[in-house]
Structures are given as C-alpha cells and as structure tokens.
Amino acid sequence: MSLTQIATSGLLASQKALNVASNNIANAETEGYSRQTVQYSPTYTLYPGTGALGTGVSASAVNRITSSFLTAQMWESQSIASDSNTHAQYLNDLDQWLGNDNTSLSKGFEQFFSALNGSSVDPYASSARQVVLAEGVGLAERFNTLYAQLQGQATMIGQQLNAAADQANGLLANIAAFNDQLRSLSTGNQPANEILDQRDQAIRDLSGLVSVNVLEQPDGSYSLYMKSGQPLILGNQFNALSVNGQVDAANGFQLQLNTDNSEIPITGDPGGVIGGLITYQSEELVQARNELGRLAVLVSSEINDQLQAGEDLNGNSGAALFNDLKTPVGAVMAMDISSTAISALTIVNANQLQASEYDFRVDNSGNYSLVRRYDGAQVASGILSGSGTDIIAFDGVEISVDGAATDQLYRLSPVRYGAREIQTSLTDPAALAFSAPAGGVGDNSNLLELLAIQSKGLLNNGQSTLMTAYSGFVGDIAVQTARIKTEADGGQALLSQAEAAVSTYSGVNLDEEAASILRFQQLYSANARVISVARTTFDALLAMF
Amino acid sequence: MRISTGNFNRVMLQVMQQTMTDLAKTSDQLSTGKRILQPSDDAIDTVKILHLNNELTAIGQFENNISSVTGWLQQQDALYSGMNDLLLRARDLLLQASNGTQSNADLKSFATELGSLNESLLSLANYQTADGQYLFSGTTTNQQPVVQSVGDYAYNGNNQYRQVAISGSAQVQITQPGNELFFDNSATPPLDSIFDALTTAVSELNNPVNLPTVLADTIVWVDATMERIGSAQTRSGSDLNLVDRVSESHADIRLFAEQLKSGIENIDMVEATTRLNQQQLILSASQQVYASIKRLSLFNYFA
C-alpha cells in the first residue's frame, strides 16, 4: 500500500470533517439541528499477523449528537409551557376587563345607585329621573359589553382550536411521512440525520399544540399517543384531530380524534395550546359568564320588584325598569335529540341563584338527578310521578318536567345569557315609581327602598350585596390569574432549562467548529505534505538512474 | 460546559425582552402612580380597594344629599322667618286695634294692612319651588296646599313628609305638611285656620260688631301659629346642625378611606424609581455583555 494512497485517504477524511464542520456552522442558528461529528476508523490491515501494515483511514459515519432523554424532556416542557401560557393570556384579558373602570360592573352599580340617590331629595324633578334612566341603560350596557368580551373570547377559542387542530394534523402527517422516509433512507449504520432532526422538531412543534407520548419502535419509527391514551401515529398512519361544537353549544368547542371507524371525543386537558384553550373555555369562561348572568338577573329582579311596588308620577302603579329575565332564553339545552321532557324553566327566587349550570338526567325507570356543575353537588333527585307535569325546584329555579319521561339528558343554564339579555324597558322618566302607592308625586319612600337594595344581603344566604358579590368574583378571578401566571412563568423557565440542556448537548458552538476547522485544515495539509514527500522520495529514487 | 451559539443568542435575547417587559411595567406604574394595574397584580388589595371605592361612593352620595338638604332647609328657614315677621306685624296691628282708642277710619286702614298681611302669609304658605312644586303640601307637591273654597280656607295637601338619607343611619325631614303649621284640627270650621282667623278679623275691623272678642281670639290664633312655625323652624334648625355634624364625620371617614386607599393603591415612588434604575442597569449591562461577547470569535484569528 503506497504512501500516496494512505495520504489520499487522510485527505478525503479531513475533507469530510471540514464539510461536517462547515455544515454545523451553517446550521448554528437552525432550530432543532443537532451537531454532527465524523467518526473515523482505520481501513483494513495488510498482512495481518506477519507484519501488519495500515492502509489509511475512512470517515465511517457522520454521527448526530443527541440525547433522547433530553429531547423527550423538552417535548414535555414545551407542552406544559404552551398550555399554561395560552390559559394565562385569556385569563389575563378577563382580569383586565373586570378591573378596568370603563368595563367594571362595580362602577356601573355605583353610578346607577348614585343616580337614584340624586333623585331622593327631589323625586319629582325630571332631570334627575332622566339620569336614573341613563344610568340604568349604562349599567345594562356594562353587562352587555362584558358578555360580548366573553363571547369574543369564546369565538376566538373556536378559531384558534381549529387553526391548532389543522396545524397539528399537518405535523402529524409530516411525522408519519418522516417515519416512512427514515425506513427507506437509513441504510446500514448511517442514519438520515437531518430527517431525524426534522422529526424531533416536528414533535416539539406538535407538543406545543397538544401533549403527546412518544414510543420508539424497533424499526426506528415513532408511535405517538395522546396523554389520554388514544393513538395519533402508528408507523406511517395518523389519526387527524378535529374541533366539534360551536360557541353557544352546551360545552362550547370540543376536541375529537378521528380514527378510521370512529370519532373519539377528547375530554380533560389535552395539553399544549389546545389544552390551554379548552381549560379556559370550560373553567373561567363558564364561571365568568354565569357569575355576570346571575348578577344581571338579580339586579333586574330586585329593581323591578321594588319599582312595581310603587307608584309613578302619573299615579299609575310602577313599571319595570329592566326587562324580565326570569324566564331566561336558551336555558334548557337538550343534550340529545330524544330529550323533550322539560317544557319550561323559570327563575322563582333570584336571591337563591347560583352561578352555575346543571346536568339533569332521567334514567330508563324515571329516576332523575340534578347535578350542579360548579361544585358537582347533587341538588335534586327522585323519581318522576309517571304522568302529568312534575315541577322540580332547585337553587331558586323551577323546571316543568313531563312526569312520564325516561332516558333524558339536559344541560340547564338559568343565568348563562343574563348579562347578554339585560336591557332597560322604560323610556319615560315620569314612569319611574319612586313614591309609595297613594304617596303623592313628592313622596320618595319607594325610592328609599330602591336605594336600600345596594346595601342589602341579596346573595349567598344573605351574605353578599351586589357589590360584594361582584368584588368577590373579581378577587377570585384575580387569584386564579395570578396563579396561572406563576404557573406559566414556571413552565417557561422549565422549557428554557430543557432547551438549554438540549442545546448544551446537541447545539453548535461556533468556536468549537472554528477549532475543528483549524484542526482538519492542519490534518489536510499534513496529508498533502505526505503526498509531496512520497513524490520527493520517488523523484530521488529516479534521480539515481 | 459547551454553550451552543444559537442558544446563547436566544437566551440573551430572552433576558433582554424580559427586562424590557419589566421596565415597561415599572414605567406604567410610575406614569399612573398606581401599584396595582390590574386585579391579579394583588388580588386581596384589589378587593379592599373595591370596598373602599364603594364606601367612598356611598359617602359621595350622602355628601350630595347633604348639600341639597342644606339648601332646602335654609330655604324653609327663610320662609319661616318671613311668616314670623308677618305674624308679628299682624299681632302689633291687632293689639293697637284692640286698645279702644281707634277711630273707624283707623280700624279700616288696619283692616287693609291686615288683609294684605294675610295675602302675603297665604302666598308664603303656597310657596312654589323653581320647578313648580309646593313646599307645604306634604308629599302631594303638585297640589296647592291652601285653597279658598266657598269663602273658607282648606288644606289641600296630605300630612306626609319627605325624608332624605344623610348617612347610613340618619335621615332628615326636608318638607313640612302645611296643615301642621296653619290649621288646627281640633278647632271648629270655619275658623280652623290662621287665614280664616285673619279674614274674620279683617271683616270685623271693617264692620265692628264684636270687636274686642274677635281681636282677642285672633291674637290667640296668631300666637298659636307663631308657636307652630317656631317649633318647625327649631326642628329644621336642629336638623341643619345634625347635617353639619354628619357632614364633618363624612369628611373624616372620607379622609381616612382615601388615605387607606392611597396607601394600598399608590406606588412607593422611591421603591419604584430604584427598581426602574436597576432594571435599566440590567438591560444596558446585558446589551453590553451581548455585544462584547459577540465580538469574540475564534474566526477573528483566522489568517
């Protein structure tokens, strides 16, 4: 074996190493790229045993430096960080609306009652009455505005869920395709490094959308499962995600997995951005909608009842200021088409209302149960009478149920739309009934009763006034917002750590690559020198003749 | 430890962005003067602030009421004084007329003046506010309280009055039913009001029949009416005192609540400015560190 041949193998090996280093340099900022190194091995040995002689070097493989443990940790933290971050963004908006003077109900209550108070000195004066009407409209509009903000969030959640599901499906398709490509491209012991990187990166992107469990198969392909166990990818096959439902559906938007023969609804928190959206939708959004609705129903019922007990400037008995919310729209939602048992839902005592929705179930034998969703408490149960109409009462609400009904499922939402529906129904300031019946136009005694409403314990067993109920709710949301923000910060820190760990192991360091280039340049020069030496030696030999 | 170049850049950028975010928040706090920019910044103190705001609003409502109430009571006080002056003059005339030395011509001129005093008293009793409401007709403020029907005077209001809250526990009466001032329910018609009494005295002076008795009876009516008006005036005067005291206590509570609120809500300027400086320092330090580390590269030494 000649010097020239040996040196040539060295030249080629150092060229390859220079290529790998320059590829590393080129990808120094590429996300998901793992640095590569050349693995050298000596080529075959001549005359083994009798006088072994090396024949040179070959760059036998280009290795990708990764740790599957660190990568898996990063996927997991990516999904936690995206989940809590998305949740925190929505909750933060709600927190700001509730605290902002322009949207806060607290300001609305204050201004409305101040206007009423302004009439108490001179209940006859039409300018002060006009202010009461205007502040009544203002209060109703604050409810409407807050509801519209929540509805905007709910709509946005649907759009984002759809976008996230589309994106996830694209990634699932890619990962399945990478599984396939890797089988055909990874020949011998030289894996297709870039595709491995791309697959890992795609799984990271997917983890940002929805949390996954990854299982490596003997053939090198990855099987992916949802946290709840359903299969997403097996080999080159994948099941697509889709979003079901609509903004005003009982459960809003829901995620489902579409397999060949079935559609599986995904319940619970699926993690990632999708998880953050679904959690906010089913928790704080529902809570906020019901709490605002409850306050809207309560304020309209209290003010209307008191006004109707009085007499107006024209000597007529009092009219309602707000519309009647006691037979709420959209409060009865049948969860399947066979449910037709409930014919009416009426609010009979606004003071007993809870900021919750309810699940009403009747089994095949007519046993019914009513569960308050907010805390899971069973608020009514029994057996239907078998004929006629049964009235079932709970939490200040009554429903009329077909006594012979079986196998029914309903979602009851007595206060869900209260904040959307509230508005004033009075335009004539003279029609505000500030005086007691037969009290005369200068009498303000019914007005004093109206004013007393602001300091009366009206909710939660007489514990809460309108104002304290609202401030309690604001405080509750603030605590949850602060908690989820801390969680999101923690998630982000965890993700940064995981990223740092991965990049410390797999990332490209430019100084390191510069040093490699210097080394391999030197190696190249040395081998070139050997060739030149070989030539000089041969020339010297020739010169002898 | 190996540091990957890409990650170094990303981490440095993250640090700078985070510091910028912190800086923005501190400068928001400084420009609004508020420590709590949204409820989640401090849930417990937010609830406290909402409660204090409610309290301050309630005090504001009472303070508004107090300023209107004061106006109404002062207006009434002026009317009472006017009535009192009229009745004093009437009493003088009645006393002069009853000393037995006046000529019929004198009596007639007394009659003329007494008649016009009666008219003035009637117009004060039927006093209307700017928006046309009567002050002395109870709560039927759109009805003229004293009307003349078939020669006699009758009360046309009710005996209720209007109260206004000036604090969570105190209310003051801001109207006075006229029947309690000018009428006597126990007296027999037609002589059951001061107006009837004065009218009778006027006709007696014009055409004396039983002058001493009528004049003496009329003086009794005048005295009784002055006493009724006096006690109403005393009541509204003591209400005015009450209003003053309550108003002072509102001012104290307001001051206390505002101090409490600003203590909770307002930013500690020294702390916040220090924090701002520190954040600026961190930002500029990380910018300098980033720039100077970026200048270091082995590639710089390649020939």
Side-chain angles (χ1 to χ4, degrees):
Chain A
M1 179 55 55
S2 73
L3 266 185
T4 315
Q5 275 171 324
I6 294 177
T8 306
S9 79
L11 270 185
L12 290 174
S14 48
Q15 257 177 9
K16 191 157 194 176
L18 281 168
N19 279 341
V20 168
S22 69
N23 191 45
N24 281 344
I25 290 167
N27 284 294
E29 294 281 354
T30 305
E31 234 185 307
Y33 177 81
S34 307
R35 73 192 158 102
Q36 298 173 6
T37 57
V38 178
Q39 184 188 321
Y40 303 102
S41 43
T43 45
Y44 60 93
T45 304
L46 278 178
Y47 321 121
T50 55
L53 208 56
T55 59
V57 68
S58 82
S60 57
V62 177
N63 290 335
R64 170 176 167 264
I65 312 293
T66 69
S67 150
S68 56
F69 167 71
L70 293 177
T71 309
Q73 208 172 40
M74 186 171 66
W75 292 337
E76 173 74 12
S77 12
Q78 176 69 63
S79 130
I80 293 172
S82 302
D83 188 339
S84 52
N85 189 44
T86 307
H87 192 173
Q89 282 172 13
Y90 274 86
L91 200 42
N92 189 54
D93 286 348
L94 176 60
D95 183 58
Q96 281 181 333
W97 296 329
L98 294 179
N100 184 321
D101 273 357
N102 295 321
T103 47
S104 150
L105 278 189
S106 176
K107 257 281 178 299
F109 288 138
E110 282 174 12
Q111 288 174 349
F112 177 67
F113 283 107
S114 288
L116 277 180
N117 211 19
S119 261
S120 73
V121 174
D122 193 354
Y124 184 83
S126 113
S127 56
R129 287 171 168 263
Q130 200 72 57
V131 177
V132 171
L133 287 184
E135 292 299 345
V137 171
L139 179 60
E141 277 175 357
R142 277 174 192 263
F143 276 111
N144 302 158
T145 303
L146 276 171
Y147 184 89
Q149 303 278 26
L150 291 177
Q151 187 77 349
Q153 282 193 328
T155 309
M156 174 108 81
I157 284 171
Q159 289 167 355
Q160 279 194 289
L161 277 175
N162 275 305
D166 284 352
Q167 221 177 327
N169 290 338
L171 291 164
L172 289 170
N174 287 346
I175 297 164
F178 288 141
N179 272 345
D180 218 23
Q181 286 175 27
L182 282 165
R183 252 210 321 264
S184 54
L185 290 179
S186 304
T187 47
N189 53 1
Q190 179 56 65
N193 287 333
E194 275 73 16
I195 293 177
L196 287 170
D197 276 348
Q198 284 178 34
R199 186 175 63 173
D200 282 355
Q201 181 62 29
I203 293 176
R204 179 178 175 181
D205 291 345
L206 181 65
S207 301
L209 299 170
V210 63
S211 187
V212 290
N213 284 330
V214 180
L215 225 69
E216 186 169 7
Q217 301 299 317
D219 68 353
S221 74
Y222 281 163
S223 297
L224 266 61
Y225 301 88
M226 301 213 50
K227 274 276 131 100
S228 42
Q230 295 85 351
L232 286 166
I233 294 181
L234 299 170
N236 59 1
Q237 299 298 313
F238 75 97
N239 295 323
L241 293 166
S242 66
V243 178
N244 230 348
Q246 54 193 33
V247 74
D248 283 333
N251 289 316
F253 298 98
Q254 295 215 289
L255 188 66
Q256 69 172 30
L257 185 67
N258 308 306
T259 67
D260 284 343
N261 35 26
S262 64
E263 294 170 343
I264 308 163
I266 306 293
T267 53
D269 180 357
V273 166
I274 291 178
L277 293 169
I278 284 185
T279 310
Y280 178 76
Q281 176 190 243
S282 62
E283 290 176 6
E284 292 89 357
L285 185 63
V286 171
Q287 186 196 349
R289 201 166 49 197
N290 285 325
E291 187 57 80
L292 295 175
R294 172 165 85 144
L295 288 172
V297 173
L298 181 70
V299 78
S300 86
S301 120
E302 286 291 327
I303 297 288
N304 287 350
D305 286 356
Q306 194 58 53
L307 279 171
Q308 283 162 344
E311 189 181 276
D312 72 9
L313 277 189
N314 304 317
N316 300 321
S317 65
L321 171 59
F322 297 103
N323 56 336
D324 186 2
L325 301 175
K326 289 182 172 177
T327 46
V329 294
V332 178
M333 282 181 260
M335 299 296 274
D336 51 45
I337 44 168
S338 67
S339 293
T340 53
I342 298 183
S343 55
L345 181 151
T346 317
I347 292 169
V348 290
N349 186 344
N351 303 104
Q352 288 174 4
L353 285 175
Q354 299 288 315
S356 181
E357 300 183 352
Y358 300 81
D359 282 337
F360 178 73
R361 255 171 244 275
V362 183
D363 72 9
N364 285 328
S365 330
N367 295 300
Y368 69 85
S369 82
L370 232 163
V371 173
R372 186 163 58 210
R373 287 176 61 82
Y374 180 70
D375 56 3
Q378 179 168 295
V379 292
S381 65
I383 182 158
L384 296 176
S385 63
S387 65
T389 300
D390 289 6
I391 304 287
I392 297 169
F394 59 96
D395 290 353
V397 178
E398 274 182 10
I399 49 172
S400 306
V401 183
D402 174 2
T406 55
D407 193 19
Q408 308 265 315
L409 180 57
Y410 281 96
R411 172 70 47 79
L412 305 179
S413 319
V415 293
R416 179 179 176 129
Y417 298 118
R420 182 185 76 187
E421 295 298 316
I422 189 172
Q423 52 181 311
T424 55
S425 53
L426 204 62
T427 50
D428 177 12
L432 284 165
F434 288 162
S435 67
V441 298
D443 178 36
N444 68 358
S445 46
N446 200 47
L447 177 57
L448 296 180
E449 297 291 328
L450 284 166
L451 278 170
I453 290 172
Q454 69 178 321
S455 49
K456 227 182 259 174
L458 297 175
L459 278 175
N460 306 327
N461 298 320
Q463 300 287 306
S464 308
T465 66
L466 280 172
M467 308 269 204
T468 57
Y470 180 71
S471 59
F473 166 60
V474 173
D476 202 24
I477 291 294
V479 168
Q480 291 174 56
T481 308
R483 182 183 54 75
I484 193 71
K485 275 182 179 170
T486 312
E487 214 174 289
D489 287 348
Q492 186 55 49
L494 216 66
L495 176 60
S496 296
Q497 271 173 23
E499 260 180 341
V502 166
S503 79
T504 292
Y505 194 77
S506 309
V508 177
N509 177 296
L510 286 178
D511 280 341
E512 186 182 19
E513 301 305 326
S516 298
I517 282 180
L518 284 177
R519 262 167 52 221
F520 295 121
Q521 218 174 18
Q522 216 166 35
L523 189 65
Y524 184 90
S525 305
N527 279 295
R529 194 73 188 157
V530 170
I531 291 175
S532 138
V533 165
R535 203 189 103 198
T536 322
T537 317
F538 194 62
D539 282 352
L541 185 66
L542 283 179
M544 289 171 69
F545 300 97
Chain B
M1 191 174 87
R2 306 180 61 256
I3 303 287
S4 98
T5 307
N7 193 55
F8 171 73
N9 289 337
R10 279 192 289 274
V11 168
M12 285 305 289
L13 223 68
Q14 263 174 27
V15 167
M16 286 187 269
Q17 277 167 351
Q18 184 56 49
T19 319
M20 292 275 262
T21 310
D22 294 346
L23 256 176
K25 179 159 187 182
T26 310
S27 87
D28 266 6
Q29 288 178 322
L30 277 167
S31 61
T32 55
K34 299 262 191 297
R35 179 175 66 88
I36 301 175
L37 299 174
Q38 65 184 90
S40 58
D41 288 343
D42 192 330
I44 294 171
D45 281 349
T46 295
V47 173
K48 275 193 210 158
I49 291 171
L50 284 175
H51 286 178
L52 286 169
N53 280 342
N54 290 341
E55 196 172 324
L56 286 167
T57 307
I59 290 176
Q61 293 176 5
F62 292 135
E63 283 175 335
N64 283 339
N65 284 356
I66 281 174
S67 87
S68 317
V69 161
T70 308
W72 281 65
L73 290 178
Q74 282 169 347
Q75 188 177 30
Q76 274 180 57
D77 191 65
L79 291 170
Y80 290 146
S81 298
M83 291 171 190
N84 219 31
D85 291 348
L86 292 175
L87 288 168
L88 273 175
R89 176 66 190 149
R91 196 173 196 282
D92 279 354
L93 290 175
L94 290 167
L95 280 176
Q96 273 184 303
S98 46
N99 69 6
T101 61
Q102 312 292 343
S103 67
N104 273 0
D106 290 340
L107 291 180
K108 273 200 171 10
S109 80
F110 287 153
T112 310
E113 190 178 349
L114 199 62
S116 87
L117 287 174
N118 196 17
E119 284 302 311
S120 303
L121 185 65
L122 185 66
S123 88
L124 290 183
N126 284 335
Y127 182 84
Q128 279 177 290
T129 58
D131 59 347
Q133 293 179 78
Y134 296 96
L135 270 186
F136 298 107
S137 62
T139 57
T140 51
T141 53
N142 53 346
Q143 296 175 24
Q144 184 178 323
V146 185
V147 292
Q148 203 173 10
S149 60
V150 210
D152 294 337
Y153 292 88
Y155 180 58
N156 191 36
N158 63 16
N159 60 356
Q160 296 172 34
Y161 47 82
R162 191 187 308 157
Q163 283 188 310
V164 173
I166 57 165
S167 77
S169 54
Q171 296 187 332
V172 293
Q173 178 180 336
I174 62 161
T175 60
Q176 173 62 52
N179 61 339
E180 290 175 13
L181 295 175
F182 312 112
F183 290 78
D184 184 347
N185 291 333
S186 58
T188 0
L191 223 60
D192 61 350
S193 80
I194 181 71
F195 310 107
D196 290 307
L198 290 173
T199 306
T200 309
V202 168
S203 60
E204 186 67 27
L205 287 167
N206 279 327
N207 191 6
V209 179
N210 197 5
L211 192 62
T213 319
V214 170
L215 290 183
D217 284 353
T218 311
I219 289 172
V220 171
W221 262 104
V222 168
D223 286 347
T225 307
M226 279 169 62
E227 202 181 309
R228 290 196 186 100
I229 290 171
S231 75
Q233 195 171 15
T234 308
R235 184 191 47 72
S236 72
S238 72
D239 274 354
L240 269 172
N241 285 336
L242 173 69
V243 165
D244 276 349
R245 282 203 311 280
V246 170
S247 168
E248 280 166 20
S249 92
H250 282 325
D252 287 349
I253 296 171
R254 167 183 287 283
L255 188 69
F256 181 70
E258 271 168 355
Q259 277 173 351
L260 207 60
K261 188 179 150 191
S262 72
I264 296 170
E265 188 177 45
N266 290 359
I267 195 162
D268 174 347
M269 275 306 203
V270 176
E271 184 273 333
T273 344
T274 316
R275 182 150 42 91
L276 188 78
N277 284 334
Q278 207 158 13
Q279 285 162 343
Q280 282 170 334
L281 201 69
I282 293 172
L283 183 61
S284 84
S286 29
Q287 284 166 341
Q288 281 173 23
V289 165
Y290 184 61
S292 67
I293 291 185
K294 280 311 276 184
R295 274 200 298 276
L296 297 176
S297 170
L298 189 47
F299 286 104
N300 292 340
Y301 300 95
F302 275 31

